[in-house]
């Protein structure tokens, strides 16, 4: 199976993201291996986020990337992500937050790993945390995960998942009931915990975003 047989829908929730969304868009445009679809799910922005997204739509379509821009009423990032997942066309979901970037080999390496690990349904990579003072911290997500202990126990003890570093099977999210929008925070952690009994995890020990 070649990389082109793996379909990845990227879901990016946006909310008043005009100050930083263009860096995210630039990183998506610079992928060596294009995502098959990008869904920008806006959470009721009142700034220029939507107009920026519409401006970039042409550039993505020129590269053969399908783009959807969904405009939601404000309900938080979990609701925006749920909306994007429900309108996605492919069997794999990659999340990216609107203030994060991916390195140009992200999609390519993830697709290669999906090919090489057909029994895995969730892929996690490392990231760089860039602090406002310029300090760079290596985030080696899942570095201490043990295959000898249930993943759900380890994840319950410490959330080593990061939303912009996760690519997982769409069916895994659907079967786990999506993001719980009734929670005031930690909606992503709650979903990972719900998914964890069924996660077959592969960790890419590569820094693929920041």
């Amino acid at each position: 199976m070649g990389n082109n047989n793996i379909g990845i829908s990227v879901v990016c929730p946006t909310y008043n993201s005009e100050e930083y969304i263009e860096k995210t868009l630039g990183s998506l445009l610079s992928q060596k291996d294009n995502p098959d679809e990008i869904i920008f799910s806006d959470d009721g922005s009142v700034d220029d986020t939507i107009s920026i997204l519409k401006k970039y739509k042409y550039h993505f379509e020129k590269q053969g990337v399908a783009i959807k821009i969904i405009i939601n009423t404000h309900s938080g990032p979990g609701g925006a992500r749920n909306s994007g997942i429900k309108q996605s066309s492919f069997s794999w979901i990659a999340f990216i937050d609107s203030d994060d970037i991916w390195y140009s080999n992200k999609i390519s390496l993830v697709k290669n790993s999906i090919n090489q690990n057909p029994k895995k349904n969730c892929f996690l990579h490392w990231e760089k945390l860039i602090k406002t003072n310029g300090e760079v911290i290596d985030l080696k997500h899942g570095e201490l995960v043990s295959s000898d202990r249930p993943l759900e126990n380890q994840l319950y003890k410490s959330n080593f998942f990061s939303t912009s570093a996760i690519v997982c099977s769409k069916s895994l999210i659907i079967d786990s009931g999506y993001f719980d929008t009734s929670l005031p925070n930690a909606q992503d952690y709650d979903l990972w915990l719900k998914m964890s009994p069924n996660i077959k995890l592969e960790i890419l020990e590569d820094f693929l975003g920041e």
Side-chain angles (χ1 to χ4, degrees):
M1 181 191 293
N3 277 357
N4 291 337
N5 298 103
I6 298 165
I8 294 181
S9 294
V10 176
V11 174
C12 178
T14 58
Y15 179 64
N16 292 342
S17 308
E18 66 178 10
E19 289 183 27
Y20 36 80
I21 187 67
E22 292 196 71
K23 286 186 178 179
T24 305
L25 295 167
S27 81
L28 291 171
L29 279 168
S30 70
Q31 292 298 306
K32 293 174 183 174
D33 196 342
N34 285 330
D36 302 273
E37 169 184 62
I38 305 175
I39 301 167
F40 297 101
S41 187
D42 189 72
D43 190 35
S45 291
V46 293
D47 64 357
D48 282 335
T49 298
I50 296 297
S51 62
I52 293 170
L53 293 176
K54 288 178 177 177
K55 182 178 73 174
Y56 273 81
K57 191 171 189 281
Y58 164 78
H59 298 290
F60 284 105
E61 290 174 343
K62 192 176 176 183
Q63 290 188 191
V65 180
I67 293 293
K68 293 178 183 172
I69 300 171
I70 306 168
I71 300 174
N72 306 282
T73 54
H74 184 54
S75 66
R81 291 190 188 106
N82 286 346
S83 180
I85 295 162
K86 289 172 183 177
Q87 294 199 40
S88 63
S89 306
F90 295 95
S91 56
W92 292 91
I93 301 292
F95 297 107
I96 184 168
D97 289 343
S98 62
D99 57 350
D100 292 339
I101 65 167
W102 287 344
Y103 299 156
S104 60
N105 57 343
K106 152 89 179 217
I107 293 291
S108 177
L109 289 185
V110 169
K111 284 190 171 185
N112 283 340
S113 191
I114 292 172
N115 269 327
Q116 293 163 11
N117 300 279
K119 294 185 178 179
K120 301 297 178 73
N121 60 10
C122 188
F123 295 79
L124 174 69
H125 63 75
W126 293 351
E127 294 175 301
K128 300 272 187 180
L129 173 64
I130 314 297
K131 301 185 77 171
T132 51
N133 63 3
E135 182 186 356
V136 179
I137 299 173
D138 290 347
L139 301 177
K140 296 184 176 181
H141 303 306
E143 186 180 28
L144 303 178
V145 169
S146 168
S147 58
D148 299 328
R149 292 184 289 130
L151 179 67
E152 54 263 44
N153 294 357
Q154 299 174 75
L155 194 59
Y156 182 77
K157 189 173 181 181
S158 172
N159 179 20
F160 48 82
F161 280 14
S162 167
T163 310
S164 293
I166 288 276
V167 180
C168 64
S169 163
K170 180 163 67 173
S171 60
L172 190 60
I173 300 171
I174 294 170
D175 293 345
S176 302
Y178 295 93
F179 291 91
D180 184 348
T181 57
S182 70
L183 296 176
N185 51 43
Q187 295 172 356
D188 51 347
Y189 188 24
D190 172 70
L191 179 59
W192 314 146
L193 289 171
K194 289 187 294 187
M195 285 168 31
S196 62
N198 299 309
I199 286 177
K200 298 176 180 66
L201 182 65
E202 181 69 19
I203 297 172
L204 284 71
E205 296 182 346
D206 296 285
F207 294 99
L208 299 181
E210 64 185 46

